[in-house]
Amino acid sequence: MIKISMPLLDEKEERAVIEVLRSEQLAQGEKVSLFEQKFAQFIGTKYAIATSSGTTALHLALLALGIRKGDEIITTPFSFIASTTSILFTGAKPVFVDIDPNTFNIDTNLIEKRINPKTRAILPVHLFGLPANMEKIIKIAKKYHLFVLEDAAQAHGAKIGNQRVGNFGDLGAFSFYPTKNMTTGEGGMVTTNNEKLADKIKLLRSHGMKMKYHNDVLGFNFRMTEIEAAIGLEQLKKLPTFNNSRINNAEFLNVQLADIYEIVIPFIPKGYTHVFHQYTILVKEGNRDELAGYLGQNGVETAIYYPIPIHRQKFIQKIYPKLHLENVERVANQALSIPVHASVKKEDLEKIISLIKKFFQRRS
Ligand SMILES: *Cc1c(COP(=O)(O)O)cnc(C)c1O
C-alpha cells in the first residue's frame, strides 16, 4: 500500500531520544530552548515558543493577543477543526469567509465585507502547504487595525518570495503531528517578532509563572518535552530535503496529470513556494469517491481533506444554521488528496498516474 502520509525517522532521532532519556532531564529544558532558537532562525522570526501541539500553539497565540468573548475572528471554513476550535476556546466568535477554489485558501476579496467593530483578527490557514495571500491580508489588517495569526500547521518552510510563512503576521502557529512535513510525535510552535507576545505566550504555557511557584496569571501546562524537542531538532535539519522531495513529487504529478480533463491539479501562484503537505486534486462530475475506491483497491491510499467544511460540523452548524459558502461546499465534495510525501518513490508516482489515467479511460 502506498500510504497517504508517513513520518520519516531514522537512527538520528533514535540516538537523540536515547541521549535525552539518559540525561534525566525529560521535561522542558535545554533541548526545547535550542529547538526554539533553531526554528525561529529557520522561519526568520526573532522568537519561537514550543508548545504541546499545534492546537495549543493557536490557543496560546489568540490568548496572547487578548482575544476574548465578544471578539470576532475572520477565518476559513476549509481547514482542520483546530483552527476554529482555538477561537472558540477563547470565547470569541469565528466568522467564516469562503475560499478561493483555485488555492483552497481564504478568498481575500471577501474579507473586508465581514469586518465590523467587533473584529479583532484575521486567522488565515496555509492549507496543504500553500501560503495564503499574505500581501493582501496584511494590507487589510493594517487598514482596519487587526491582528493576524497565521495557521502554518501544514506549511513548514513554505514561502512567498523569500519570506517564510509564520513570519508575515503578528504570530504564526505550527504543528509537529506525525502527518505534517516534520514531526515531534505531538508538538507545536508559535513564531513571532514581538517580544511582548513571546513573553506572554511563555507565561501562559507554564502556569502563568516566570519564577517557579510564583503564579502571576491563570495559565496552562502546554509545554513540550525534551524528548519531543530532540526529535524536532533532527527533523528540522531534514526538513529542506523532505520539502524538496514533496515539491519534486508534486511537479511530476502536475506534469503527468495536466491533460486529464476530469480533474483539476493544484495551482501555485507566481512567486509562491508550495511545500505540498498534501497534493490535492479536484475530481469533477461526481467521480471522486469512485476514484478513491479504485485507487484503494489497487494499493494507493487516498484521503479527503476535508469532507465536511468547518461551518457544517455538527456543533458549529448550530451557531450558523443558514450559512452557505458555495466554493468550500463544492470543493469539499470534489477534493481528493493523493500520496506526495518524501517516502513516495518515482515508481509509486508512475503507478498512481497510470491508475488515474486508466480509471478515466475506462469511463469514457
Ligand atoms: C494539524 C493542524 C492543526 C492542529 O495541530 P495539532 O498538532 O494536531 O494540534 C491546526 N491547524 C491545521 C491547519 C492543522 O493541519
Side-chain angles (χ1 to χ4, degrees):
M1 191 68 146
I2 306 171
K3 307 282 281 178
I4 186 69
S5 70
M6 199 189 292
L8 260 172
L9 303 152
D10 64 23
E11 310 78 46
K12 294 261 173 57
E13 285 83 0
E14 288 173 16
R15 231 176 288 139
V17 167
I18 288 168
E19 191 196 307
V20 171
L21 296 181
R22 289 178 180 160
S23 76
E24 297 173 5
Q25 173 68 45
L26 303 186
Q28 184 181 298
E30 276 173 25
K31 294 280 179 199
V32 172
S33 297
L34 188 60
F35 184 35
E36 291 175 333
Q37 200 184 311
K38 298 276 181 193
F39 198 81
Q41 210 170 33
F42 176 73
I43 299 301
T45 53
K46 285 195 191 139
Y47 310 97
I49 306 97
T51 60
S52 53
S53 73
T55 305
T56 56
L58 286 164
H59 189 180
L60 290 182
L62 289 165
L63 290 176
L65 293 173
I67 302 303
R68 57 198 166 96
K69 196 166 183 223
D71 295 339
E72 292 188 5
I73 313 296
I74 290 177
T75 192
T76 166
F78 200 43
S79 180
F80 180 63
I81 192 76
S83 50
T84 287
T85 50
S86 59
I87 298 169
L88 293 169
F89 287 143
T90 69
K93 187 179 159 196
V95 173
F96 297 107
V97 165
D98 206 353
I99 59 166
D100 173 341
N102 296 312
T103 63
F104 305 142
N105 284 324
I106 192 165
D107 185 340
T108 51
N109 292 320
L110 304 175
I111 291 177
E112 283 195 75
K113 272 184 261 180
R114 305 302 305 276
I115 294 173
N116 68 52
K118 288 180 178 172
T119 311
R120 295 285 311 282
I122 307 171
L123 197 168
V125 179
H126 308 299
L127 198 74
F128 303 144
L130 176 68
N133 184 346
M134 293 314 296
E135 196 182 30
K136 187 82 185 284
I137 289 167
I138 297 292
K139 206 165 153 189
I140 296 169
K142 281 210 172 117
K143 183 170 165 193
Y144 294 92
H145 306 288
L146 305 174
F147 297 117
V148 175
L149 166 58
E150 299 171 64
D151 182 341
Q154 306 188 354
H156 322 65
K159 292 186 282 192
I160 303 172
N162 284 320
Q163 193 171 349
R164 293 216 152 94
V165 302
N167 190 15
F168 285 92
D170 298 279
L171 296 154
F174 292 82
S175 163
F176 305 118
Y177 188 72
T179 56
K180 312 287 163 141
N181 292 36
M182 62 175 282
T183 186
T184 59
E186 296 275 8
M189 193 75 83
V190 184
T191 52
T192 185
N193 289 307
N194 182 318
E195 188 179 7
K196 279 208 180 106
L197 290 175
D199 285 345
K200 207 156 170 199
I201 290 163
K202 282 184 208 156
L203 201 63
L204 293 169
R205 171 179 64 175
S206 196
H207 305 293
M209 56 189 185
K210 254 192 220 116
M211 210 196 303
K212 225 172 192 184
Y213 311 127
H214 293 244
N215 306 91
D216 304 333
V217 297
L218 177 64
F220 303 87
N221 173 2
F222 285 167
R223 294 182 305 254
M224 177 179 275
T225 67
E226 288 287 274
I227 303 164
E228 289 162 337
I231 298 171
L233 280 163
E234 296 305 322
Q235 289 273 300
L236 185 58
K237 289 181 208 160
K238 299 174 181 176
L239 180 65
T241 316
F242 289 167
N243 280 346
N244 277 337
S245 302
R246 288 175 180 272
I247 290 165
N248 289 337
N249 287 346
E251 264 173 19
F252 189 73
L253 288 168
N254 262 357
V255 169
Q256 301 294 321
L257 298 176
D259 51 9
I260 301 178
Y261 164 77
E262 293 90 342
I263 66 173
V264 180
I265 57 173
F267 168 72
I268 310 169
K270 208 163 167 239
Y272 282 49
T273 304
H274 190 324
V275 292
F276 287 97
H277 170 61
Q278 295 296 341
Y279 182 93
T280 303
I281 58 172
L282 294 182
V283 187
K284 293 185 272 185
E285 294 165 13
N287 293 328
R288 192 258 316 264
D289 295 345
E290 243 180 282
L291 174 61
Y294 178 74
L295 291 171
Q297 282 157 19
N298 288 286
V300 178
E301 188 184 16
T302 59
I304 297 167
Y305 302 114
Y306 293 90
I308 306 172
I310 293 177
H311 67 290
R312 293 285 193 186
Q313 296 288 353
K314 207 184 272 176
F315 72 103
I316 293 173
Q317 191 159 25
K318 281 188 199 146
I319 318 173
Y320 309 94
K322 290 200 184 101
L323 185 60
H324 171 62
L325 298 170
E326 193 178 328
N327 288 334
V328 70
E329 286 167 33
R330 175 175 63 79
V331 165
N333 286 323
Q334 297 186 343
L336 185 67
S337 298
I338 60 184
V340 75
H341 55 86
S343 305
V344 177
K345 295 183 205 63
K346 183 89 179 283
E347 60 259 36
D348 298 331
L349 295 173
E350 276 163 355
K351 178 179 169 173
I352 293 166
I353 290 155
S354 94
L355 283 170
I356 293 175
K357 286 188 171 159
K358 210 184 278 172
F359 175 82
F360 288 111
Q361 271 157 19
R362 283 201 328 193
R363 300 187 53 88
S364 58

